[in-house]
Each structure stands twice: as C-alpha cells, then as structure tokens.
Amino acid sequence: MSEFVGKTAVVTGAGSGIGQALARQLAAAGARLALSDVDEVGLAATVQQVRELGGEVRAEILDVRDRAAVLGYADRVREQFGAVHLVINNAGVSFTGEIAETDFADLERVMDVNFWGVVHGTKAFLPHLIASGDGRLVNISSIFGLVAFPGQSAYSAAKFAVRGFTEALRMEVRAAGHPVRVTCVCPGGVKTAIVRNSRAAAGIDVDVLAAAFDRDPGVSPVAAARTILAGVRAGRARVLVGRDAWLLDLAQRLLGPAYQRVVGPEGGRLLDQVRRRPLDRQRESI
Ligand SMILES: NC(=O)c1ccc[n+]([C@@H]2O[C@H](COP(=O)([O-])OP(=O)(O)OC[C@H]3O[C@@H](n4cnc5c(N)ncnc54)[C@H](O)[C@@H]3O)[C@@H](O)[C@H]2O)c1
C-alpha cells in the first residue's frame, strides 16, 4: 500500500495527539476514515478537522477495553465501507508511579487500555484486513516497549507486551502468506496531552510531571504521524519516532541490560522532581 487514496483506515484514540494527527494526514492523503475515542469532545473536533479537509469519516465512541464493543465495531466498519485496509491501534493512557506505591487497579487499567485494547483491535480487524487483499496493521507501542524506565513499570509492561504480540503476529501472518503487513511503532517523547490526561500514584504531582514532560524536547504529533505513515507505506516491521527513541534503542543494543545503569539514575532524578512534598500532602488532607 504505497497510496492511501480510497483505502479505509481505522484509527482508535483519534480524539487527541498522535491519533488526531494521523487522522488528518490520512484524510489529506485520500483515505476514508473510521475514527473512535472515549472522549466525545476530542473526537468531534477531529471529525470536524477531517471534514474540513474533505475527508469521508465515520465516528463512534468506543472504549477499546470493551471486547464485545470492539468486535461489533469492526463488523460495522466493514459493513459501511465494504473493506478495511489499515488499522492503527493507537488509543493509550500513561501512568507514572513506583510499583510499591501503585494500586492493582491502576496496573490493571494500564494493561486493559494499552495492551488489551491493542489485542481487541487486532483480533477484531485481522479477518477484515486479510479479506481486503492489501492490509496494514499498526500497533502503537513506545520506546518504553524497548527500554524500561523507573516509575513506568505498568506502562512498560503493557508496551513491551504490545511489541511482543505485534512482532509474533507479523511473523505468523508472513508465514501464513496473508496479504497483511504488520508494523510496531515505538515513539519517544511526542508533545501531546498524554501526561496531562494521565493518572499517577498518590505520591506523584501530575501537574509538575506534565510541566516536566512539556519542557522535554519531543517531536510534534504532526511529525510523529508523518514518520509513522512513512513506515506504514514502506511496510516496516518497526518504526522508531524521534531522536530520543533512536538513542535509547541504540543504548540497549550496545549495553544490553546495563542500559539500566544509564537510564535508572535519570529516571530516579525525574521521580524526585515530581514527587509531592510532605507539606503538599498534608494540605490536601486538611
Ligand atoms: N506522547 C508520547 O510521548 C508517546 C510516546 C510513546 C507512545 N505513545 C503512545 O501513542 C499513543 C497515542 O498517545 P498520545 O500521546 O497521542 O496521547 P493522547 O492522550 O493525546 O491521545 C490518546 C487518546 O486515546 C484515548 N483513549 C484513552 N483511553 C481510551 C480507551 N479506553 N478507549 C479508547 N480511547 C481511549 C484518549 O481519549 C485520547 O484521545 C498511545 O498509545 C501512547 O501510549 C505516546
């Protein structure tokens, strides 16, 4: 698939950030879009932007954690458009907190959205992608799916799982001779609202964390979407987004598990910066 003209493209989590930029660029490239999100307002904004670009779009509120809903959604999209050529499992949440201070419920929520959401989207759409005769499946992992980081154990667990799932699937699909190319995307920092929208363990100040994330040099969602779609066009197995992703990937290739000696102290410093001070905690409990 070198061109997206007339192809049906599905993007989850299309109401913000990378998903919104992907939707806009796919519309500009002539694709017909099936967009979804849990955020009604964000999704409506993306739909309006896509329509202004002249794109054909179907929008639906969809929680990727809901298996039955995703399965039904895939059938409705296939019915409306006749075929599904590209699926981007993009919806995701972030979470920051050390394991000792993280509730089971938060760990499960991150796995439910970031891992199970991808599994649901993949299983639901794979038969339709195969039937299209020219399918592309794109699962969004993270650089934290290649390298772990202190305070990101839940997120890293989900993103490592997405990468393992996606890479195994790529080999299976190839061995079976199915007409589907599978791509795993590992972005570094992308300047979206993901951290501001995120939850964190009780000891973490999300505002300070979001401010630190905003200060970090990251790529724009537009640049990230451009890199992702170039990788999809080329049918790449893995797409790294941003200089930080390339550097961290290189570090773990060269150092093996010893990359932790480099990344660990940096992560520890960041956690110290974003930890609520005891006085703040006291004030909140009054
Ligand atoms: N921004 C980064 O630095 C970065 C880095 C690496 C990977 N990623 C990944 O990129 C993807 C997009 O993130 P983003 O940065 O654009 O974030 P974002 O917060 O801007 O967008 C994520 C979208 O997913 C939606 N969403 C959340 N939970 C959902 C659910 N249960 N069902 C359906 N939709 C849901 C949100 O409403 C939001 O619109 C995520 O998978 C994220 O983990 C982001």
Tab-separated table of all heavy atoms in Angstrom, residues 219-268:
chain	number	residue	atom	x	y	z
A	219	VAL	N	9.048	15.382	19.683
A	219	VAL	CA	8.577	15.753	18.349
A	219	VAL	C	7.098	16.132	18.434
A	219	VAL	O	6.409	15.773	19.392
A	219	VAL	CB	8.790	14.615	17.312
A	219	VAL	CG1	10.248	14.231	17.203
A	219	VAL	CG2	7.943	13.399	17.636
A	220	SER	N	6.620	16.846	17.430
A	220	SER	CA	5.206	17.226	17.408
A	220	SER	C	4.387	16.009	16.964
A	220	SER	O	4.905	15.106	16.289
A	220	SER	CB	4.989	18.374	16.422
A	220	SER	OG	5.195	17.894	15.106
A	221	PRO	N	3.086	15.993	17.317
A	221	PRO	CA	2.233	14.901	16.824
A	221	PRO	C	2.219	14.834	15.294
A	221	PRO	O	2.153	13.749	14.719
A	221	PRO	CB	0.844	15.252	17.369
A	221	PRO	CG	1.059	16.227	18.463
A	221	PRO	CD	2.366	16.905	18.227
A	222	VAL	N	2.298	16.002	14.660
A	222	VAL	CA	2.288	16.033	13.182
A	222	VAL	C	3.521	15.307	12.635
A	222	VAL	O	3.428	14.466	11.725
A	222	VAL	CB	2.250	17.501	12.686
A	222	VAL	CG1	2.489	17.594	11.191
A	222	VAL	CG2	0.904	18.128	13.054
A	223	ALA	N	4.691	15.615	13.218
A	223	ALA	CA	5.925	14.951	12.757
A	223	ALA	C	5.874	13.456	13.067
A	223	ALA	O	6.307	12.630	12.258
A	223	ALA	CB	7.136	15.603	13.423
A	224	ALA	N	5.322	13.106	14.237
A	224	ALA	CA	5.227	11.687	14.600
A	224	ALA	C	4.336	10.948	13.595
A	224	ALA	O	4.692	9.864	13.110
A	224	ALA	CB	4.651	11.544	16.015
A	225	ALA	N	3.197	11.542	13.267
A	225	ALA	CA	2.267	10.894	12.328
A	225	ALA	C	2.928	10.721	10.956
A	225	ALA	O	2.754	9.699	10.287
A	225	ALA	CB	0.982	11.712	12.213
A	226	ARG	N	3.713	11.736	10.554
A	226	ARG	CA	4.392	11.658	9.249
A	226	ARG	C	5.362	10.473	9.228
A	226	ARG	O	5.407	9.692	8.280
A	226	ARG	CB	5.143	12.975	9.015
A	226	ARG	CG	5.040	13.440	7.591
A	226	ARG	CD	5.738	14.768	7.390
A	226	ARG	NE	4.931	15.912	7.731
A	226	ARG	CZ	5.334	16.961	8.452
A	226	ARG	NH1	6.559	17.013	8.935
A	226	ARG	NH2	4.518	17.953	8.698
A	227	THR	N	6.128	10.332	10.315
A	227	THR	CA	7.100	9.226	10.395
A	227	THR	C	6.373	7.883	10.399
A	227	THR	O	6.790	6.927	9.742
A	227	THR	CB	7.939	9.363	11.692
A	227	THR	OG1	8.563	10.636	11.678
A	227	THR	CG2	8.987	8.276	11.804
A	228	ILE	N	5.267	7.819	11.159
A	228	ILE	CA	4.520	6.557	11.248
A	228	ILE	C	3.970	6.166	9.865
A	228	ILE	O	4.127	5.027	9.422
A	228	ILE	CB	3.370	6.679	12.276
A	228	ILE	CG1	3.950	6.831	13.691
A	228	ILE	CG2	2.432	5.478	12.202
A	228	ILE	CD1	2.952	7.287	14.751
A	229	LEU	N	3.363	7.133	9.167
A	229	LEU	CA	2.752	6.790	7.872
A	229	LEU	C	3.805	6.457	6.821
A	229	LEU	O	3.574	5.603	5.949
A	229	LEU	CB	1.824	7.920	7.407
A	229	LEU	CG	0.577	8.099	8.299
A	229	LEU	CD1	-0.329	9.204	7.771
A	229	LEU	CD2	-0.222	6.792	8.426
A	230	ALA	N	4.989	7.074	6.931
A	230	ALA	CA	6.085	6.701	6.003
A	230	ALA	C	6.477	5.242	6.267
A	230	ALA	O	6.703	4.462	5.330
A	230	ALA	CB	7.282	7.627	6.196
A	231	GLY	N	6.534	4.853	7.540
A	231	GLY	CA	6.864	3.470	7.892
A	231	GLY	C	5.795	2.495	7.420
A	231	GLY	O	6.094	1.381	6.980
A	232	VAL	N	4.543	2.923	7.511
A	232	VAL	CA	3.433	2.065	7.065
A	232	VAL	C	3.513	1.872	5.549
A	232	VAL	O	3.378	0.753	5.032
A	232	VAL	CB	2.071	2.693	7.452
A	232	VAL	CG1	0.914	1.900	6.853
A	232	VAL	CG2	1.930	2.754	8.972
A	233	ARG	N	3.744	2.972	4.834
A	233	ARG	CA	3.851	2.878	3.363
A	233	ARG	C	4.943	1.881	2.974
A	233	ARG	O	4.801	1.119	2.033
A	233	ARG	CB	4.192	4.245	2.769
A	233	ARG	CG	3.013	5.181	2.660
A	233	ARG	CD	3.391	6.389	1.791
A	233	ARG	NE	2.262	7.264	1.594
A	233	ARG	CZ	2.004	8.334	2.366
A	233	ARG	NH1	2.788	8.635	3.372
A	233	ARG	NH2	0.950	9.084	2.113
A	234	ALA	N	6.053	1.922	3.735
A	234	ALA	CA	7.202	1.049	3.415
A	234	ALA	C	7.013	-0.364	3.983
A	234	ALA	O	7.844	-1.237	3.723
A	234	ALA	CB	8.477	1.682	3.967
A	235	GLY	N	5.952	-0.574	4.761
A	235	GLY	CA	5.690	-1.909	5.332
A	235	GLY	C	6.733	-2.329	6.360
A	235	GLY	O	7.021	-3.522	6.515
A	236	ARG	N	7.296	-1.350	7.085
A	236	ARG	CA	8.373	-1.674	8.042
A	236	ARG	C	7.877	-2.493	9.226
A	236	ARG	O	6.740	-2.340	9.682
A	236	ARG	CB	8.976	-0.385	8.609
A	236	ARG	CG	9.740	0.353	7.576
A	236	ARG	CD	10.973	1.072	8.130
A	236	ARG	NE	11.552	1.756	6.998
A	236	ARG	CZ	11.249	3.009	6.663
A	236	ARG	NH1	10.477	3.730	7.438
A	236	ARG	NH2	11.751	3.550	5.589
A	237	ALA	N	8.758	-3.313	9.761
A	237	ALA	CA	8.440	-4.103	10.956
A	237	ALA	C	8.373	-3.203	12.187
A	237	ALA	O	7.511	-3.370	13.048
A	237	ALA	CB	9.498	-5.178	11.170
A	238	ARG	N	9.325	-2.268	12.267
A	238	ARG	CA	9.389	-1.397	13.453
A	238	ARG	C	9.651	0.038	13.011
A	238	ARG	O	10.494	0.281	12.155
A	238	ARG	CB	10.525	-1.846	14.369
A	238	ARG	CG	10.619	-1.020	15.657
A	238	ARG	CD	11.781	-1.467	16.521
A	238	ARG	NE	11.647	-2.837	16.981
A	238	ARG	CZ	12.627	-3.532	17.564
A	238	ARG	NH1	13.800	-2.984	17.747
A	238	ARG	NH2	12.422	-4.774	17.960
A	239	VAL	N	8.914	0.957	13.622
A	239	VAL	CA	9.127	2.374	13.335
A	239	VAL	C	9.487	3.076	14.642
A	239	VAL	O	8.700	3.047	15.602
A	239	VAL	CB	7.859	3.021	12.719
A	239	VAL	CG1	8.046	4.517	12.541
A	239	VAL	CG2	7.515	2.364	11.387
A	240	LEU	N	10.662	3.663	14.684
A	240	LEU	CA	11.056	4.471	15.841
A	240	LEU	C	10.712	5.925	15.520
A	240	LEU	O	10.924	6.373	14.388
A	240	LEU	CB	12.557	4.357	16.099
A	240	LEU	CG	13.079	2.976	16.525
A	240	LEU	CD1	14.604	2.991	16.591
A	240	LEU	CD2	12.502	2.561	17.860
A	241	VAL	N	10.211	6.648	16.514
A	241	VAL	CA	9.830	8.052	16.283
A	241	VAL	C	10.627	8.939	17.229
A	241	VAL	O	10.495	8.814	18.458
A	241	VAL	CB	8.321	8.257	16.530
A	241	VAL	CG1	7.948	9.727	16.326
A	241	VAL	CG2	7.490	7.357	15.639
A	242	GLY	N	11.437	9.817	16.674
A	242	GLY	CA	12.167	10.803	17.490
A	242	GLY	C	13.587	10.360	17.801
A	242	GLY	O	13.898	9.177	17.888
A	243	ARG	N	14.419	11.397	18.011
A	243	ARG	CA	15.844	11.163	18.263
A	243	ARG	C	16.052	10.398	19.573
A	243	ARG	O	16.908	9.523	19.674
A	243	ARG	CB	16.517	12.549	18.332
A	243	ARG	CG	17.985	12.536	18.100
A	243	ARG	CD	18.500	13.947	17.791
A	243	ARG	NE	19.889	14.029	18.198
A	243	ARG	CZ	20.291	14.473	19.369
A	243	ARG	NH1	19.399	14.920	20.254
A	243	ARG	NH2	21.567	14.499	19.677
A	244	ASP	N	15.232	10.736	20.591
A	244	ASP	CA	15.378	10.055	21.887
A	244	ASP	C	15.110	8.557	21.755
A	244	ASP	O	15.782	7.732	22.385
A	244	ASP	CB	14.471	10.691	22.953
A	244	ASP	CG	13.003	10.792	22.531
A	244	ASP	OD1	12.703	10.627	21.340
A	244	ASP	OD2	12.154	11.045	23.406
A	245	ALA	N	14.152	8.203	20.887
A	245	ALA	CA	13.846	6.776	20.685
A	245	ALA	C	15.044	6.074	20.042
A	245	ALA	O	15.433	4.974	20.454
A	245	ALA	CB	12.599	6.624	19.818
A	246	TRP	N	15.646	6.727	19.048
A	246	TRP	CA	16.812	6.138	18.380
A	246	TRP	C	17.965	5.969	19.373
A	246	TRP	O	18.641	4.943	19.396
A	246	TRP	CB	17.258	7.007	17.202
A	246	TRP	CG	16.369	6.837	15.998
A	246	TRP	CD1	15.280	7.603	15.671
A	246	TRP	CD2	16.451	5.812	14.997
A	246	TRP	NE1	14.692	7.130	14.520
A	246	TRP	CE2	15.393	6.041	14.085
A	246	TRP	CE3	17.315	4.738	14.779
A	246	TRP	CZ2	15.179	5.223	12.976
A	246	TRP	CZ3	17.103	3.931	13.669
A	246	TRP	CH2	16.041	4.172	12.782
A	247	LEU	N	18.177	6.989	20.215
A	247	LEU	CA	19.305	6.937	21.164
A	247	LEU	C	19.100	5.849	22.222
A	247	LEU	O	20.020	5.087	22.530
A	247	LEU	CB	19.486	8.297	21.845
A	247	LEU	CG	20.104	9.393	20.966
A	247	LEU	CD1	20.095	10.728	21.688
A	247	LEU	CD2	21.529	9.007	20.559
A	248	LEU	N	17.892	5.775	22.765
A	248	LEU	CA	17.631	4.754	23.792
A	248	LEU	C	17.688	3.346	23.203
A	248	LEU	O	18.193	2.413	23.837
A	248	LEU	CB	16.269	4.992	24.457
A	248	LEU	CG	16.267	6.087	25.525
A	248	LEU	CD1	14.848	6.447	25.926
A	248	LEU	CD2	17.047	5.632	26.759
A	249	ASP	N	17.195	3.206	21.977
A	249	ASP	CA	17.261	1.900	21.313
A	249	ASP	C	18.725	1.503	21.110
A	249	ASP	O	19.122	0.364	21.382
A	249	ASP	CB	16.519	1.970	19.973
A	249	ASP	CG	16.537	0.636	19.248
A	249	ASP	OD1	16.297	-0.393	19.920
A	249	ASP	OD2	16.801	0.597	18.034
A	250	LEU	N	19.523	2.472	20.688
A	250	LEU	CA	20.959	2.202	20.481
A	250	LEU	C	21.617	1.816	21.803
A	250	LEU	O	22.403	0.866	21.867
A	250	LEU	CB	21.626	3.452	19.880
A	250	LEU	CG	23.095	3.313	19.523
A	250	LEU	CD1	23.260	2.315	18.370
A	250	LEU	CD2	23.678	4.668	19.114
A	251	ALA	N	21.259	2.529	22.874
A	251	ALA	CA	21.856	2.256	24.192
A	251	ALA	C	21.572	0.821	24.625
A	251	ALA	O	22.479	0.112	25.086
A	251	ALA	CB	21.312	3.240	25.224
A	252	GLN	N	20.318	0.369	24.441
A	252	GLN	CA	20.033	-1.004	24.905
A	252	GLN	C	20.640	-2.054	23.980
A	252	GLN	O	20.975	-3.142	24.416
A	252	GLN	CB	18.539	-1.215	25.183
A	252	GLN	CG	17.587	-1.095	24.030
A	252	GLN	CD	17.394	-2.403	23.270
A	252	GLN	OE1	17.648	-3.478	23.793
A	252	GLN	NE2	16.975	-2.305	22.021
A	253	ARG	N	20.848	-1.710	22.709
A	253	ARG	CA	21.531	-2.662	21.824
A	253	ARG	C	22.993	-2.803	22.219
A	253	ARG	O	23.542	-3.896	22.236
A	253	ARG	CB	21.499	-2.179	20.370
A	253	ARG	CG	20.191	-2.394	19.678
A	253	ARG	CD	20.236	-1.640	18.350
A	253	ARG	NE	18.900	-1.408	17.868
A	253	ARG	CZ	18.365	-2.086	16.863
A	253	ARG	NH1	19.031	-3.027	16.255
A	253	ARG	NH2	17.143	-1.812	16.459
A	254	LEU	N	23.634	-1.653	22.507
A	254	LEU	CA	25.073	-1.672	22.805
A	254	LEU	C	25.354	-2.201	24.206
A	254	LEU	O	26.310	-2.925	24.425
A	254	LEU	CB	25.660	-0.251	22.689
A	254	LEU	CG	25.675	0.361	21.294
A	254	LEU	CD1	26.180	1.801	21.354
A	254	LEU	CD2	26.575	-0.464	20.369
A	255	LEU	N	24.506	-1.813	25.163
A	255	LEU	CA	24.810	-2.102	26.570
A	255	LEU	C	24.091	-3.340	27.109
A	255	LEU	O	24.442	-3.820	28.187
A	255	LEU	CB	24.430	-0.897	27.446
A	255	LEU	CG	25.117	0.431	27.100
A	255	LEU	CD1	24.535	1.559	27.933
A	255	LEU	CD2	26.619	0.334	27.326
A	256	GLY	N	23.085	-3.836	26.401
A	256	GLY	CA	22.291	-4.926	26.972
A	256	GLY	C	21.624	-4.419	28.245
A	256	GLY	O	21.318	-3.224	28.363
A	257	PRO	N	21.434	-5.297	29.237
A	257	PRO	CA	20.721	-4.864	30.456
A	257	PRO	C	21.447	-3.758	31.215
A	257	PRO	O	20.839	-3.086	32.061
A	257	PRO	CB	20.641	-6.123	31.313
A	257	PRO	CG	21.217	-7.230	30.521
A	257	PRO	CD	21.790	-6.720	29.247
A	258	ALA	N	22.735	-3.538	30.899
A	258	ALA	CA	23.474	-2.467	31.578
A	258	ALA	C	22.954	-1.080	31.190
A	258	ALA	O	23.350	-0.081	31.795
A	258	ALA	CB	24.971	-2.576	31.268
A	259	TYR	N	22.025	-1.019	30.195
A	259	TYR	CA	21.418	0.296	29.895
A	259	TYR	C	20.753	0.870	31.153
A	259	TYR	O	20.623	2.079	31.314
A	259	TYR	CB	20.411	0.182	28.736
A	259	TYR	CG	19.036	-0.322	29.146
A	259	TYR	CD1	18.099	0.533	29.730
A	259	TYR	CD2	18.664	-1.644	28.978
A	259	TYR	CE1	16.846	0.073	30.128
A	259	TYR	CE2	17.419	-2.111	29.376
A	259	TYR	CZ	16.515	-1.245	29.948
A	259	TYR	OH	15.282	-1.688	30.358
A	260	GLN	N	20.362	-0.039	32.061
A	260	GLN	CA	19.666	0.400	33.283
A	260	GLN	C	20.544	1.311	34.145
A	260	GLN	O	20.040	2.161	34.874
A	260	GLN	CB	19.230	-0.824	34.105
A	260	GLN	CG	18.176	-1.657	33.396
A	260	GLN	CD	18.004	-3.039	33.999
A	260	GLN	OE1	18.228	-3.245	35.189
A	260	GLN	NE2	17.613	-3.997	33.185
A	261	ARG	N	21.866	1.128	34.033
A	261	ARG	CA	22.766	1.988	34.830
A	261	ARG	C	22.745	3.426	34.322
A	261	ARG	O	23.046	4.342	35.058
A	261	ARG	CB	24.206	1.446	34.749
A	261	ARG	CG	24.358	0.182	35.529
A	261	ARG	CD	25.828	-0.105	35.788
A	261	ARG	NE	25.995	-1.543	35.809
A	261	ARG	CZ	26.959	-2.225	35.228
A	261	ARG	NH1	27.900	-1.576	34.575
A	261	ARG	NH2	27.010	-3.522	35.306
A	262	VAL	N	22.431	3.588	33.044
A	262	VAL	CA	22.363	4.940	32.471
A	262	VAL	C	20.972	5.537	32.722
A	262	VAL	O	20.829	6.669	33.190
A	262	VAL	CB	22.622	4.882	30.939
A	262	VAL	CG1	22.579	6.267	30.333
A	262	VAL	CG2	23.929	4.160	30.645
A	263	VAL	N	19.959	4.736	32.413
A	263	VAL	CA	18.582	5.234	32.446
A	263	VAL	C	18.071	5.342	33.890
A	263	VAL	O	17.327	6.277	34.221
A	263	VAL	CB	17.698	4.264	31.612
A	263	VAL	CG1	16.236	4.481	31.879
A	263	VAL	CG2	18.001	4.431	30.130
A	264	GLY	N	18.486	4.417	34.738
A	264	GLY	CA	17.981	4.357	36.114
A	264	GLY	C	18.166	5.653	36.888
A	264	GLY	O	17.194	6.216	37.414
A	265	PRO	N	19.406	6.183	36.959
A	265	PRO	CA	19.588	7.419	37.729
A	265	PRO	C	18.801	8.597	37.156
A	265	PRO	O	18.258	9.406	37.900
A	265	PRO	CB	21.105	7.685	37.614
A	265	PRO	CG	21.699	6.350	37.288
A	265	PRO	CD	20.665	5.608	36.495
A	266	GLU	N	18.692	8.641	35.819
A	266	GLU	CA	17.934	9.744	35.192
A	266	GLU	C	16.467	9.656	35.598
A	266	GLU	O	15.837	10.651	35.982
A	266	GLU	CB	18.069	9.638	33.675
A	266	GLU	CG	17.654	10.902	32.968
A	266	GLU	CD	17.442	10.668	31.475
A	266	GLU	OE1	18.232	9.902	30.872
A	266	GLU	OE2	16.482	11.237	30.954
A	267	GLY	N	15.923	8.439	35.560
A	267	GLY	CA	14.534	8.233	35.967
A	267	GLY	C	14.326	8.546	37.437
A	267	GLY	O	13.306	9.123	37.824
A	268	GLY	N	15.305	8.167	38.244
A	268	GLY	CA	15.222	8.442	39.679
A	268	GLY	C	15.177	9.937	39.946
A	268	GLY	O	14.388	10.417	40.779
